[in-house]
Amino acid sequence: MLTKFHNWNNSKKIAASFIVVIFIGSLLLSLPISQLATSEAGYFQHLFHAVSMVCVTGLVITPMYETYSIFGQTISMVLMQIGGLGLMTLVASALITFGKRMRLRERLAVQAGLNMEDATDLKSFFLTIIKYTFIIQMTGFFLLSLRFVPAFGWGKGLFTSLFLAISGFNNAGFDNLGASSLIPYVHDPLVNLVIISLIILGGIGFSVWFDVARNTKLALNHPVKKFSPIFFRRLSLHSRLALIMTGLLIGTGTIFFFMAEYTNPDSIGSFTFSQKWLASFFQTVTMRTAGFATIDFTTVTSFSLFWFILTMFIGGSPGGTAGGLKTTTFAMVVLLFYNEIRGQKNVNLLHHTISSQLIRHAVVIFTAFLLAFLFGVGILSILNPEVDFIYLLFEGISALATVGVSANLTPTLETPSHIVLMFMMFAGRIGPITLMDSLIRKNERVKDVQYSKGNILIG
């Protein structure tokens, strides 16, 4: 069996690793010790929640606080951590820590799972991921405990802080606060800014961390140039693009939401000026991939829902805990469109020419993600003709982009719709291309056949 697994392509290994964790997680969540005595959830609900946790989404059929005990919520944290970092990452880290050697196929599978450029220095890469993850989550845990320990006491306060820190960093969107979730903390700068920081750090991508950290050390050794533009230019092209796109999306999204909802009394219209900015900032960051909410999304304008759908579609950056199409992929498609309009043959970015192979790959991913979104929402619309289509779009992209926000729709849907959402969450987490590759491709040796050139009229 192990020999057969080793011979699988990377896509099958990635998909299989998530399926195994989801199945084990669903069984653990369905144990009596994992549930509250008042829980009415059956195995299907636990399976749905396991998919949502491992795919770091955040959609739930029954609220966490009404369903799971402390043990069940601890299992949930483990599933979110595994889902965020990836099972193969954690296994590889353990093997390397204990001095075990990895086969080339295993190294390449892990490389594909993390979108790494190469797999030459895995030991340093994995140990640094674990170190940074621990430091960031523990910092978030400490800061959140300053708010929740005084509110809930030491036991519940510390546990809630740890749960939110892990959920926030892994962009999972789960909370164990109760029916109102984070809405009571909409004006709390500490809770908002800590969770925003966790979301951004988890969603920016591991390679960007390392690049920024490495160049920060170099800058500290040269204090005169510390604040020079040279620091930004020293970053890799990928890091610069990821940071630019992240800043651009957060900045424009915050302004758009602020303007669209400024006078809406049902959302942020009654807030003070500074409170409106804080709420707009939080909603924009969490909408890109995390799934937390400090307002009720059924109260926002249609424009805000439409903008949220676009930002969820784009998502976070590759190689991290975020979902969605990915910022860099979206940027490649936009740059291709821009250069085609200008009649420019090459796609250039920051004085670099992007390879045609990479552009082609980006277009394929964009097309696959768009088709998966349209197909999933199409099925949801057939199953739920009575629901406003904008809410189905919102729910569908939330699942596919592993965001986890909902306009209070998930619990009201029937089992067939929940099955569609599970498939969308799974496809969104491992990637539609990876899913199709693991199911369809049989022969690793695909011949690149070329015939005589043909012309077709296009619009």
Side-chain angles (χ1 to χ4, degrees), residues 97 173 226 276 444:
T97 301
K226 188 184 301 183
K276 289 177 181 178
E444 291 283 350

Side-chain angles (χ1 to χ4, degrees), residues 27-37 39 46 67-75:
L27 293 179
L28 292 174
L29 290 175
S30 63
L31 294 175
I33 192 176
S34 298
Q35 302 176 60
L36 295 173
S39 172
H46 300 309
T67 307
Y68 299 115
S69 64
I70 296 297
F71 181 80
Q73 292 180 32
T74 303
I75 295 298

